[in-house]
Amino acid sequence: MRQAWALLRLLLDPRVTRVPARVLRELGARGKRRLPAGVSRDLSGALGRLKRLSFLRRWLDGERLTRHDGRWVLNSFLPPFPGRAYDRMFENLLSGRRLSPVSAYLAITAECPYDCWHCSLSGRRGGSLGEEAWRSIIAGLHGLGASVIGFTGGEPLARPDLPGLVEAAVAGGAETVVFTSGAGMTSERASALKRAGLWAFCVSLDTIDPAECGRLRGDDGAYGAALEALRMARRSGFYTMIGAVATRPFVEGRLYEGLYRLARAEGVRELRLVEPMPCGKLSGAGQDEHLLEPRHTEELKRFHVETNRAGRGPKVCAFNRVEGPELFGCGAGTQHLFIDPAGEVCPCDFTPMSFGNAAREPLALIWERMTAAFGAPRRRCFIQTHHGLLDKHAEGGVPLPLEASLRVCAEAGREPLPDYFKMVIGEE
């Protein structure tokens, strides 16, 4: 019932419905179909008639709409709404581009005071960019219509110019997220990020055991720093998250329950669960014990859905539910991009394949090249499925250069679309 009332409020809010309705009308006038006819009619009609609520209710099954700072939030993979970044997702359909990125994460530094067990950036070729180069890249992302720009690393708080980069991203119309271990967070830095317009603050934390956290990070003070960073972020009014890497032992020991209790006690808004990926420190032989089997994935999906349906405490956002084949699938290289500290543009944070360097050529050209190589969203996570192909071509290190990246895409081939995109083109 609570979800139904939330949907009703959305449908009656012209700030939420105006741009999607306009875009659908313009696409129709141009004879361009980005949604199947029946769905398009349902969406258009739902803007004024409550009987169309059933479509949206099915769409949001297992999710939880919440309010933060006067706006709605579905989860941290999408921008809050209403707002410029939300409108941009729909307006991108009129851009003439085949695909536009919903999100882009920027590893603005490789520096980090910790030695985390799962670091996905580990083992990459070195390099770093200055503030002006990153500002130019952010401008390129605005040109592509990215709605969410995330700042990661290394440890992004290690860069003194982080607030200025956040401000540049916000000024161009994107929502911003900082992904951090919490190391280096101060009240002064929190205030600067607030003035810059930061939306969300995600602290990486895989356990509620301080000693174990210290062991996993290589620093005995890591747990206390993470907790204090979360508290400063909450007091500053950010949308706060705990981000955890869900290994086999994590799932089998139901460690997510302890993290959820911590999140609830600390007033955190979301528990974000990401699978371990075969890259960085988890690449190569001997790391398979961390990777999930289907039964683990299904357990995380169950936790996501059941917790959100209960409607109490923080929401849960399990990566493998949001990007599961029954919803949106893997958006690496088609819905999302990642840029490493040297400027190499990759499909995602965990897929070390470069399609060009954003400090040396236009980002729009690189994006066009990458989306052409990937083709369309996939039902399965690209790096989980094809890490063996990357290893075969990685004799020169990672990220793979352009030629090798194109070969990996060609050898991986195409695969069926996720269910949402099947619906969009009318295959269902």
Side-chain angles (χ1 to χ4, degrees), residues 88 92 97 100-106 134-151 169 172-174 336-339 345 358 363-364 367:
R88 180 180 277 179
N92 280 338
R97 289 186 296 271
S100 297
V102 174
S103 57
Y105 293 167
L106 313 181
W134 282 117
R135 285 180 176 271
S136 177
I137 288 170
I138 289 168
L141 290 171
H142 291 318
L144 287 175
S147 290
V148 178
I149 297 178
F151 296 91
H336 177 76
L337 63 90
F338 170 74
I339 304 179
V345 181
L363 185 56
W367 175 251

PDB file of all heavy atoms in Angstrom, residues 88 92 97 100-106 134-151 169 172-174 336-339 345 358 363-364 367:
ATOM      1  N   ARG A  88      17.473  14.426 -17.990  1.00  0.00           N
ATOM      2  CA  ARG A  88      18.484  14.159 -19.023  1.00  0.00           C
ATOM      3  C   ARG A  88      18.392  12.714 -19.526  1.00  0.00           C
ATOM      4  O   ARG A  88      18.626  12.450 -20.710  1.00  0.00           O
ATOM      5  CB  ARG A  88      19.871  14.431 -18.432  1.00  0.00           C
ATOM      6  CG  ARG A  88      21.014  14.196 -19.379  1.00  0.00           C
ATOM      7  CD  ARG A  88      22.337  14.500 -18.693  1.00  0.00           C
ATOM      8  NE  ARG A  88      22.653  15.911 -18.721  1.00  0.00           N
ATOM      9  CZ  ARG A  88      23.741  16.434 -18.163  1.00  0.00           C
ATOM     10  NH1 ARG A  88      24.597  15.664 -17.513  1.00  0.00           N
ATOM     11  NH2 ARG A  88      23.970  17.722 -18.239  1.00  0.00           N
ATOM     12  N   ASN A  92      18.000  12.262 -23.549  1.00  0.00           N
ATOM     13  CA  ASN A  92      19.019  11.575 -24.332  1.00  0.00           C
ATOM     14  C   ASN A  92      18.419  10.776 -25.488  1.00  0.00           C
ATOM     15  O   ASN A  92      19.085  10.537 -26.507  1.00  0.00           O
ATOM     16  CB  ASN A  92      19.829  10.626 -23.437  1.00  0.00           C
ATOM     17  CG  ASN A  92      20.884  11.354 -22.630  1.00  0.00           C
ATOM     18  OD1 ASN A  92      21.315  12.442 -22.986  1.00  0.00           O
ATOM     19  ND2 ASN A  92      21.312  10.742 -21.536  1.00  0.00           N
ATOM     20  N   ARG A  97      22.071  10.031 -30.792  1.00  0.00           N
ATOM     21  CA  ARG A  97      23.051   8.983 -30.521  1.00  0.00           C
ATOM     22  C   ARG A  97      22.345   7.644 -30.397  1.00  0.00           C
ATOM     23  O   ARG A  97      21.210   7.568 -29.920  1.00  0.00           O
ATOM     24  CB  ARG A  97      23.818   9.254 -29.210  1.00  0.00           C
ATOM     25  CG  ARG A  97      24.785  10.413 -29.292  1.00  0.00           C
ATOM     26  CD  ARG A  97      25.593  10.513 -27.996  1.00  0.00           C
ATOM     27  NE  ARG A  97      24.729  10.806 -26.856  1.00  0.00           N
ATOM     28  CZ  ARG A  97      24.411  12.035 -26.466  1.00  0.00           C
ATOM     29  NH1 ARG A  97      24.864  13.073 -27.119  1.00  0.00           N
ATOM     30  NH2 ARG A  97      23.624  12.229 -25.420  1.00  0.00           N
ATOM     31  N   SER A 100      23.402   6.423 -24.950  1.00  0.00           N
ATOM     32  CA  SER A 100      23.983   7.456 -24.093  1.00  0.00           C
ATOM     33  C   SER A 100      24.244   6.852 -22.723  1.00  0.00           C
ATOM     34  O   SER A 100      23.460   6.022 -22.250  1.00  0.00           O
ATOM     35  CB  SER A 100      23.045   8.663 -23.951  1.00  0.00           C
ATOM     36  OG  SER A 100      22.831   9.299 -25.187  1.00  0.00           O
ATOM     37  N   PRO A 101      25.317   7.256 -22.050  1.00  0.00           N
ATOM     38  CA  PRO A 101      25.590   6.678 -20.734  1.00  0.00           C
ATOM     39  C   PRO A 101      24.663   7.251 -19.669  1.00  0.00           C
ATOM     40  O   PRO A 101      24.439   8.458 -19.607  1.00  0.00           O
ATOM     41  CB  PRO A 101      27.040   7.088 -20.464  1.00  0.00           C
ATOM     42  CG  PRO A 101      27.212   8.375 -21.233  1.00  0.00           C
ATOM     43  CD  PRO A 101      26.352   8.221 -22.461  1.00  0.00           C
ATOM     44  N   VAL A 102      24.119   6.375 -18.833  1.00  0.00           N
ATOM     45  CA  VAL A 102      23.382   6.837 -17.663  1.00  0.00           C
ATOM     46  C   VAL A 102      24.371   7.284 -16.585  1.00  0.00           C
ATOM     47  O   VAL A 102      24.168   8.296 -15.933  1.00  0.00           O
ATOM     48  CB  VAL A 102      22.466   5.721 -17.114  1.00  0.00           C
ATOM     49  CG1 VAL A 102      21.808   6.154 -15.801  1.00  0.00           C
ATOM     50  CG2 VAL A 102      21.405   5.357 -18.141  1.00  0.00           C
ATOM     51  N   SER A 103      25.473   6.540 -16.452  1.00  0.00           N
ATOM     52  CA  SER A 103      26.431   6.833 -15.392  1.00  0.00           C
ATOM     53  C   SER A 103      27.862   6.714 -15.884  1.00  0.00           C
ATOM     54  O   SER A 103      28.147   5.995 -16.846  1.00  0.00           O
ATOM     55  CB  SER A 103      26.212   5.895 -14.198  1.00  0.00           C
ATOM     56  OG  SER A 103      26.299   4.540 -14.597  1.00  0.00           O
ATOM     57  N   ALA A 104      28.753   7.427 -15.211  1.00  0.00           N
ATOM     58  CA  ALA A 104      30.193   7.368 -15.483  1.00  0.00           C
ATOM     59  C   ALA A 104      30.931   7.512 -14.161  1.00  0.00           C
ATOM     60  O   ALA A 104      30.607   8.407 -13.367  1.00  0.00           O
ATOM     61  CB  ALA A 104      30.609   8.483 -16.436  1.00  0.00           C
ATOM     62  N   TYR A 105      31.881   6.633 -13.905  1.00  0.00           N
ATOM     63  CA  TYR A 105      32.681   6.695 -12.696  1.00  0.00           C
ATOM     64  C   TYR A 105      34.120   7.050 -13.064  1.00  0.00           C
ATOM     65  O   TYR A 105      34.692   6.469 -13.987  1.00  0.00           O
ATOM     66  CB  TYR A 105      32.661   5.363 -11.939  1.00  0.00           C
ATOM     67  CG  TYR A 105      31.302   4.993 -11.362  1.00  0.00           C
ATOM     68  CD1 TYR A 105      31.055   3.717 -10.890  1.00  0.00           C
ATOM     69  CD2 TYR A 105      30.256   5.924 -11.316  1.00  0.00           C
ATOM     70  CE1 TYR A 105      29.823   3.366 -10.355  1.00  0.00           C
ATOM     71  CE2 TYR A 105      29.014   5.587 -10.794  1.00  0.00           C
ATOM     72  CZ  TYR A 105      28.805   4.302 -10.314  1.00  0.00           C
ATOM     73  OH  TYR A 105      27.576   3.963  -9.797  1.00  0.00           O
ATOM     74  N   LEU A 106      34.661   8.001 -12.318  1.00  0.00           N
ATOM     75  CA  LEU A 106      35.993   8.521 -12.603  1.00  0.00           C
ATOM     76  C   LEU A 106      36.934   8.178 -11.458  1.00  0.00           C
ATOM     77  O   LEU A 106      36.712   8.606 -10.322  1.00  0.00           O
ATOM     78  CB  LEU A 106      35.939  10.045 -12.781  1.00  0.00           C
ATOM     79  CG  LEU A 106      34.832  10.602 -13.683  1.00  0.00           C
ATOM     80  CD1 LEU A 106      34.938  12.119 -13.757  1.00  0.00           C
ATOM     81  CD2 LEU A 106      34.901   9.973 -15.061  1.00  0.00           C
ATOM     82  N   TRP A 134      40.704  16.644 -15.898  1.00  0.00           N
ATOM     83  CA  TRP A 134      39.463  16.052 -15.392  1.00  0.00           C
ATOM     84  C   TRP A 134      38.269  16.961 -15.658  1.00  0.00           C
ATOM     85  O   TRP A 134      37.167  16.476 -15.969  1.00  0.00           O
ATOM     86  CB  TRP A 134      39.577  15.742 -13.903  1.00  0.00           C
ATOM     87  CG  TRP A 134      40.349  14.491 -13.623  1.00  0.00           C
ATOM     88  CD1 TRP A 134      41.521  14.365 -12.945  1.00  0.00           C
ATOM     89  CD2 TRP A 134      39.995  13.156 -14.031  1.00  0.00           C
ATOM     90  NE1 TRP A 134      41.929  13.056 -12.900  1.00  0.00           N
ATOM     91  CE2 TRP A 134      41.008  12.293 -13.554  1.00  0.00           C
ATOM     92  CE3 TRP A 134      38.929  12.612 -14.744  1.00  0.00           C
ATOM     93  CZ2 TRP A 134      40.973  10.914 -13.779  1.00  0.00           C
ATOM     94  CZ3 TRP A 134      38.900  11.238 -14.970  1.00  0.00           C
ATOM     95  CH2 TRP A 134      39.912  10.405 -14.494  1.00  0.00           C
ATOM     96  N   ARG A 135      38.458  18.264 -15.554  1.00  0.00           N
ATOM     97  CA  ARG A 135      37.350  19.171 -15.871  1.00  0.00           C
ATOM     98  C   ARG A 135      36.938  19.053 -17.334  1.00  0.00           C
ATOM     99  O   ARG A 135      35.755  19.109 -17.667  1.00  0.00           O
ATOM    100  CB  ARG A 135      37.740  20.615 -15.541  1.00  0.00           C
ATOM    101  CG  ARG A 135      37.734  20.918 -14.041  1.00  0.00           C
ATOM    102  CD  ARG A 135      38.131  22.364 -13.773  1.00  0.00           C
ATOM    103  NE  ARG A 135      38.029  22.687 -12.361  1.00  0.00           N
ATOM    104  CZ  ARG A 135      36.941  23.150 -11.757  1.00  0.00           C
ATOM    105  NH1 ARG A 135      35.842  23.355 -12.494  1.00  0.00           N
ATOM    106  NH2 ARG A 135      36.922  23.423 -10.473  1.00  0.00           N
ATOM    107  N   SER A 136      37.909  18.869 -18.210  1.00  0.00           N
ATOM    108  CA  SER A 136      37.602  18.687 -19.625  1.00  0.00           C
ATOM    109  C   SER A 136      36.840  17.387 -19.850  1.00  0.00           C
ATOM    110  O   SER A 136      35.886  17.330 -20.642  1.00  0.00           O
ATOM    111  CB  SER A 136      38.904  18.683 -20.435  1.00  0.00           C
ATOM    112  OG  SER A 136      38.642  18.444 -21.808  1.00  0.00           O
ATOM    113  N   ILE A 137      37.236  16.332 -19.150  1.00  0.00           N
ATOM    114  CA  ILE A 137      36.533  15.053 -19.261  1.00  0.00           C
ATOM    115  C   ILE A 137      35.103  15.184 -18.750  1.00  0.00           C
ATOM    116  O   ILE A 137      34.153  14.669 -19.360  1.00  0.00           O
ATOM    117  CB  ILE A 137      37.308  13.967 -18.494  1.00  0.00           C
ATOM    118  CG1 ILE A 137      38.586  13.611 -19.252  1.00  0.00           C
ATOM    119  CG2 ILE A 137      36.444  12.728 -18.262  1.00  0.00           C
ATOM    120  CD1 ILE A 137      39.544  12.735 -18.475  1.00  0.00           C
ATOM    121  N   ILE A 138      34.927  15.875 -17.641  1.00  0.00           N
ATOM    122  CA  ILE A 138      33.580  16.080 -17.099  1.00  0.00           C
ATOM    123  C   ILE A 138      32.712  16.847 -18.099  1.00  0.00           C
ATOM    124  O   ILE A 138      31.530  16.531 -18.296  1.00  0.00           O
ATOM    125  CB  ILE A 138      33.666  16.807 -15.746  1.00  0.00           C
ATOM    126  CG1 ILE A 138      34.240  15.857 -14.686  1.00  0.00           C
ATOM    127  CG2 ILE A 138      32.296  17.326 -15.302  1.00  0.00           C
ATOM    128  CD1 ILE A 138      34.633  16.525 -13.393  1.00  0.00           C
ATOM    129  N   ALA A 139      33.302  17.841 -18.757  1.00  0.00           N
ATOM    130  CA  ALA A 139      32.556  18.564 -19.794  1.00  0.00           C
ATOM    131  C   ALA A 139      32.146  17.616 -20.922  1.00  0.00           C
ATOM    132  O   ALA A 139      31.037  17.717 -21.467  1.00  0.00           O
ATOM    133  CB  ALA A 139      33.399  19.718 -20.338  1.00  0.00           C
ATOM    134  N   GLY A 140      33.044  16.696 -21.282  1.00  0.00           N
ATOM    135  CA  GLY A 140      32.706  15.703 -22.301  1.00  0.00           C
ATOM    136  C   GLY A 140      31.568  14.799 -21.869  1.00  0.00           C
ATOM    137  O   GLY A 140      30.710  14.423 -22.677  1.00  0.00           O
ATOM    138  N   LEU A 141      31.534  14.443 -20.586  1.00  0.00           N
ATOM    139  CA  LEU A 141      30.434  13.624 -20.070  1.00  0.00           C
ATOM    140  C   LEU A 141      29.113  14.374 -20.126  1.00  0.00           C
ATOM    141  O   LEU A 141      28.062  13.789 -20.411  1.00  0.00           O
ATOM    142  CB  LEU A 141      30.732  13.181 -18.635  1.00  0.00           C
ATOM    143  CG  LEU A 141      31.847  12.147 -18.485  1.00  0.00           C
ATOM    144  CD1 LEU A 141      32.203  11.955 -17.020  1.00  0.00           C
ATOM    145  CD2 LEU A 141      31.429  10.813 -19.116  1.00  0.00           C
ATOM    146  N   HIS A 142      29.154  15.683 -19.865  1.00  0.00           N
ATOM    147  CA  HIS A 142      27.932  16.477 -20.007  1.00  0.00           C
ATOM    148  C   HIS A 142      27.468  16.465 -21.461  1.00  0.00           C
ATOM    149  O   HIS A 142      26.264  16.384 -21.731  1.00  0.00           O
ATOM    150  CB  HIS A 142      28.170  17.904 -19.537  1.00  0.00           C
ATOM    151  CG  HIS A 142      28.370  18.013 -18.049  1.00  0.00           C
ATOM    152  ND1 HIS A 142      27.610  17.326 -17.152  1.00  0.00           N
ATOM    153  CD2 HIS A 142      29.253  18.749 -17.317  1.00  0.00           C
ATOM    154  CE1 HIS A 142      28.009  17.614 -15.916  1.00  0.00           C
ATOM    155  NE2 HIS A 142      29.005  18.475 -15.995  1.00  0.00           N
ATOM    156  N   GLY A 143      28.414  16.522 -22.372  1.00  0.00           N
ATOM    157  CA  GLY A 143      28.052  16.463 -23.782  1.00  0.00           C
ATOM    158  C   GLY A 143      27.396  15.150 -24.165  1.00  0.00           C
ATOM    159  O   GLY A 143      26.535  15.108 -25.049  1.00  0.00           O
ATOM    160  N   LEU A 144      27.787  14.070 -23.498  1.00  0.00           N
ATOM    161  CA  LEU A 144      27.188  12.761 -23.751  1.00  0.00           C
ATOM    162  C   LEU A 144      25.870  12.566 -23.007  1.00  0.00           C
ATOM    163  O   LEU A 144      25.140  11.616 -23.272  1.00  0.00           O
ATOM    164  CB  LEU A 144      28.157  11.650 -23.334  1.00  0.00           C
ATOM    165  CG  LEU A 144      29.375  11.429 -24.229  1.00  0.00           C
ATOM    166  CD1 LEU A 144      30.295  10.371 -23.612  1.00  0.00           C
ATOM    167  CD2 LEU A 144      28.961  11.018 -25.629  1.00  0.00           C
ATOM    168  N   GLY A 145      25.600  13.438 -22.042  1.00  0.00           N
ATOM    169  CA  GLY A 145      24.351  13.339 -21.304  1.00  0.00           C
ATOM    170  C   GLY A 145      24.382  12.420 -20.108  1.00  0.00           C
ATOM    171  O   GLY A 145      23.336  11.903 -19.701  1.00  0.00           O
ATOM    172  N   ALA A 146      25.560  12.204 -19.505  1.00  0.00           N
ATOM    173  CA  ALA A 146      25.637  11.341 -18.326  1.00  0.00           C
ATOM    174  C   ALA A 146      24.822  11.944 -17.182  1.00  0.00           C
ATOM    175  O   ALA A 146      24.937  13.127 -16.877  1.00  0.00           O
ATOM    176  CB  ALA A 146      27.089  11.152 -17.896  1.00  0.00           C
ATOM    177  N   SER A 147      24.010  11.120 -16.529  1.00  0.00           N
ATOM    178  CA  SER A 147      23.153  11.597 -15.447  1.00  0.00           C
ATOM    179  C   SER A 147      23.813  11.485 -14.079  1.00  0.00           C
ATOM    180  O   SER A 147      23.530  12.281 -13.194  1.00  0.00           O
ATOM    181  CB  SER A 147      21.837  10.810 -15.436  1.00  0.00           C
ATOM    182  OG  SER A 147      21.046  11.147 -16.554  1.00  0.00           O
ATOM    183  N   VAL A 148      24.639  10.460 -13.892  1.00  0.00           N
ATOM    184  CA  VAL A 148      25.311  10.244 -12.610  1.00  0.00           C
ATOM    185  C   VAL A 148      26.812  10.180 -12.856  1.00  0.00           C
ATOM    186  O   VAL A 148      27.276   9.379 -13.680  1.00  0.00           O
ATOM    187  CB  VAL A 148      24.843   8.945 -11.931  1.00  0.00           C
ATOM    188  CG1 VAL A 148      25.601   8.715 -10.625  1.00  0.00           C
ATOM    189  CG2 VAL A 148      23.341   8.975 -11.672  1.00  0.00           C
ATOM    190  N   ILE A 149      27.576  11.018 -12.159  1.00  0.00           N
ATOM    191  CA  ILE A 149      29.039  10.992 -12.242  1.00  0.00           C
ATOM    192  C   ILE A 149      29.568  10.640 -10.864  1.00  0.00           C
ATOM    193  O   ILE A 149      29.307  11.350  -9.887  1.00  0.00           O
ATOM    194  CB  ILE A 149      29.612  12.335 -12.726  1.00  0.00           C
ATOM    195  CG1 ILE A 149      29.129  12.631 -14.154  1.00  0.00           C
ATOM    196  CG2 ILE A 149      31.136  12.323 -12.668  1.00  0.00           C
ATOM    197  CD1 ILE A 149      29.611  13.958 -14.714  1.00  0.00           C
ATOM    198  N   GLY A 150      30.275   9.513 -10.782  1.00  0.00           N
ATOM    199  CA  GLY A 150      30.831   9.048  -9.528  1.00  0.00           C
ATOM    200  C   GLY A 150      32.332   9.284  -9.474  1.00  0.00           C
ATOM    201  O   GLY A 150      33.019   9.165 -10.487  1.00  0.00           O
ATOM    202  N   PHE A 151      32.825   9.625  -8.295  1.00  0.00           N
ATOM    203  CA  PHE A 151      34.254   9.861  -8.093  1.00  0.00           C
ATOM    204  C   PHE A 151      34.799   8.763  -7.193  1.00  0.00           C
ATOM    205  O   PHE A 151      34.341   8.575  -6.067  1.00  0.00           O
ATOM    206  CB  PHE A 151      34.477  11.240  -7.474  1.00  0.00           C
ATOM    207  CG  PHE A 151      34.050  12.365  -8.381  1.00  0.00           C
ATOM    208  CD1 PHE A 151      32.768  12.877  -8.319  1.00  0.00           C
ATOM    209  CD2 PHE A 151      34.926  12.884  -9.315  1.00  0.00           C
ATOM    210  CE1 PHE A 151      32.367  13.903  -9.157  1.00  0.00           C
ATOM    211  CE2 PHE A 151      34.542  13.916 -10.171  1.00  0.00           C
ATOM    212  CZ  PHE A 151      33.249  14.422 -10.092  1.00  0.00           C
ATOM    213  N   ALA A 169      30.847  18.889 -12.073  1.00  0.00           N
ATOM    214  CA  ALA A 169      29.889  17.874 -12.510  1.00  0.00           C
ATOM    215  C   ALA A 169      28.455  18.309 -12.232  1.00  0.00           C
ATOM    216  O   ALA A 169      27.561  18.138 -13.066  1.00  0.00           O
ATOM    217  CB  ALA A 169      30.191  16.546 -11.814  1.00  0.00           C
ATOM    218  N   GLY A 172      27.048  21.120 -14.554  1.00  0.00           N
ATOM    219  CA  GLY A 172      26.644  20.681 -15.889  1.00  0.00           C
ATOM    220  C   GLY A 172      25.394  19.841 -15.918  1.00  0.00           C
ATOM    221  O   GLY A 172      24.969  19.401 -16.992  1.00  0.00           O
ATOM    222  N   GLY A 173      24.786  19.575 -14.757  1.00  0.00           N
ATOM    223  CA  GLY A 173      23.507  18.887 -14.739  1.00  0.00           C
ATOM    224  C   GLY A 173      23.520  17.459 -14.255  1.00  0.00           C
ATOM    225  O   GLY A 173      22.488  16.789 -14.298  1.00  0.00           O
ATOM    226  N   ALA A 174      24.664  16.952 -13.769  1.00  0.00           N
ATOM    227  CA  ALA A 174      24.732  15.568 -13.288  1.00  0.00           C
ATOM    228  C   ALA A 174      24.553  15.503 -11.778  1.00  0.00           C
ATOM    229  O   ALA A 174      24.841  16.466 -11.067  1.00  0.00           O
ATOM    230  CB  ALA A 174      26.062  14.929 -13.679  1.00  0.00           C
ATOM    231  N   HIS A 336      27.058   2.540 -19.214  1.00  0.00           N
ATOM    232  CA  HIS A 336      27.998   2.983 -18.186  1.00  0.00           C
ATOM    233  C   HIS A 336      29.400   3.012 -18.771  1.00  0.00           C
ATOM    234  O   HIS A 336      29.725   2.250 -19.687  1.00  0.00           O
ATOM    235  CB  HIS A 336      27.940   2.004 -17.005  1.00  0.00           C
ATOM    236  CG  HIS A 336      28.911   2.302 -15.901  1.00  0.00           C
ATOM    237  ND1 HIS A 336      28.718   3.323 -14.995  1.00  0.00           N
ATOM    238  CD2 HIS A 336      30.088   1.724 -15.551  1.00  0.00           C
ATOM    239  CE1 HIS A 336      29.724   3.350 -14.130  1.00  0.00           C
ATOM    240  NE2 HIS A 336      30.570   2.396 -14.453  1.00  0.00           N
ATOM    241  N   LEU A 337      30.240   3.899 -18.217  1.00  0.00           N
ATOM    242  CA  LEU A 337      31.664   3.898 -18.571  1.00  0.00           C
ATOM    243  C   LEU A 337      32.497   4.241 -17.340  1.00  0.00           C
ATOM    244  O   LEU A 337      31.992   4.781 -16.352  1.00  0.00           O
ATOM    245  CB  LEU A 337      31.955   4.862 -19.713  1.00  0.00           C
ATOM    246  CG  LEU A 337      31.709   6.367 -19.502  1.00  0.00           C
ATOM    247  CD1 LEU A 337      32.948   7.064 -18.959  1.00  0.00           C
ATOM    248  CD2 LEU A 337      31.283   7.029 -20.800  1.00  0.00           C
ATOM    249  N   PHE A 338      33.773   3.905 -17.425  1.00  0.00           N
ATOM    250  CA  PHE A 338      34.718   4.130 -16.337  1.00  0.00           C
ATOM    251  C   PHE A 338      35.986   4.722 -16.937  1.00  0.00           C
ATOM    252  O   PHE A 338      36.433   4.302 -18.008  1.00  0.00           O
ATOM    253  CB  PHE A 338      35.030   2.807 -15.645  1.00  0.00           C
ATOM    254  CG  PHE A 338      36.167   2.859 -14.663  1.00  0.00           C
ATOM    255  CD1 PHE A 338      36.006   3.463 -13.423  1.00  0.00           C
ATOM    256  CD2 PHE A 338      37.400   2.298 -14.966  1.00  0.00           C
ATOM    257  CE1 PHE A 338      37.044   3.507 -12.509  1.00  0.00           C
ATOM    258  CE2 PHE A 338      38.445   2.333 -14.063  1.00  0.00           C
ATOM    259  CZ  PHE A 338      38.266   2.933 -12.825  1.00  0.00           C
ATOM    260  N   ILE A 339      36.554   5.706 -16.251  1.00  0.00           N
ATOM    261  CA  ILE A 339      37.807   6.313 -16.712  1.00  0.00           C
ATOM    262  C   ILE A 339      38.823   6.191 -15.591  1.00  0.00           C
ATOM    263  O   ILE A 339      38.572   6.624 -14.456  1.00  0.00           O
ATOM    264  CB  ILE A 339      37.603   7.780 -17.121  1.00  0.00           C
ATOM    265  CG1 ILE A 339      36.503   7.877 -18.189  1.00  0.00           C
ATOM    266  CG2 ILE A 339      38.907   8.376 -17.642  1.00  0.00           C
ATOM    267  CD1 ILE A 339      36.193   9.283 -18.656  1.00  0.00           C
ATOM    268  N   VAL A 345      39.577   5.033 -21.061  1.00  0.00           N
ATOM    269  CA  VAL A 345      38.121   4.862 -20.994  1.00  0.00           C
ATOM    270  C   VAL A 345      37.786   3.384 -21.149  1.00  0.00           C
ATOM    271  O   VAL A 345      38.102   2.762 -22.161  1.00  0.00           O
ATOM    272  CB  VAL A 345      37.423   5.686 -22.091  1.00  0.00           C
ATOM    273  CG1 VAL A 345      35.907   5.527 -22.000  1.00  0.00           C
ATOM    274  CG2 VAL A 345      37.818   7.157 -21.971  1.00  0.00           C
ATOM    275  N   ALA A 358      40.831   9.626 -22.787  1.00  0.00           N
ATOM    276  CA  ALA A 358      40.010  10.838 -22.822  1.00  0.00           C
ATOM    277  C   ALA A 358      40.825  12.106 -22.695  1.00  0.00           C
ATOM    278  O   ALA A 358      40.294  13.199 -22.939  1.00  0.00           O
ATOM    279  CB  ALA A 358      38.957  10.788 -21.717  1.00  0.00           C
ATOM    280  N   LEU A 363      35.999  12.500 -25.951  1.00  0.00           N
ATOM    281  CA  LEU A 363      35.294  11.429 -25.264  1.00  0.00           C
ATOM    282  C   LEU A 363      34.139  10.893 -26.112  1.00  0.00           C
ATOM    283  O   LEU A 363      33.855   9.684 -26.095  1.00  0.00           O
ATOM    284  CB  LEU A 363      34.783  11.935 -23.915  1.00  0.00           C
ATOM    285  CG  LEU A 363      34.112  10.926 -22.995  1.00  0.00           C
ATOM    286  CD1 LEU A 363      35.027   9.736 -22.717  1.00  0.00           C
ATOM    287  CD2 LEU A 363      33.703  11.595 -21.691  1.00  0.00           C
ATOM    288  N   ALA A 364      33.460  11.768 -26.849  1.00  0.00           N
ATOM    289  CA  ALA A 364      32.339  11.327 -27.683  1.00  0.00           C
ATOM    290  C   ALA A 364      32.787  10.300 -28.719  1.00  0.00           C
ATOM    291  O   ALA A 364      32.073   9.335 -29.009  1.00  0.00           O
ATOM    292  CB  ALA A 364      31.694  12.530 -28.377  1.00  0.00           C
ATOM    293  N   TRP A 367      33.390   6.987 -26.863  1.00  0.00           N
ATOM    294  CA  TRP A 367      32.109   6.377 -26.501  1.00  0.00           C
ATOM    295  C   TRP A 367      31.467   5.714 -27.716  1.00  0.00           C
ATOM    296  O   TRP A 367      30.965   4.584 -27.627  1.00  0.00           O
ATOM    297  CB  TRP A 367      31.187   7.433 -25.915  1.00  0.00           C
ATOM    298  CG  TRP A 367      29.810   6.947 -25.616  1.00  0.00           C
ATOM    299  CD1 TRP A 367      28.653   7.264 -26.270  1.00  0.00           C
ATOM    300  CD2 TRP A 367      29.416   6.034 -24.574  1.00  0.00           C
ATOM    301  NE1 TRP A 367      27.577   6.619 -25.707  1.00  0.00           N
ATOM    302  CE2 TRP A 367      28.014   5.856 -24.663  1.00  0.00           C
ATOM    303  CE3 TRP A 367      30.126   5.359 -23.574  1.00  0.00           C
ATOM    304  CZ2 TRP A 367      27.301   5.032 -23.802  1.00  0.00           C
ATOM    305  CZ3 TRP A 367      29.415   4.536 -22.710  1.00  0.00           C
ATOM    306  CH2 TRP A 367      28.020   4.378 -22.824  1.00  0.00           C
TER     307      TRP A 367
END
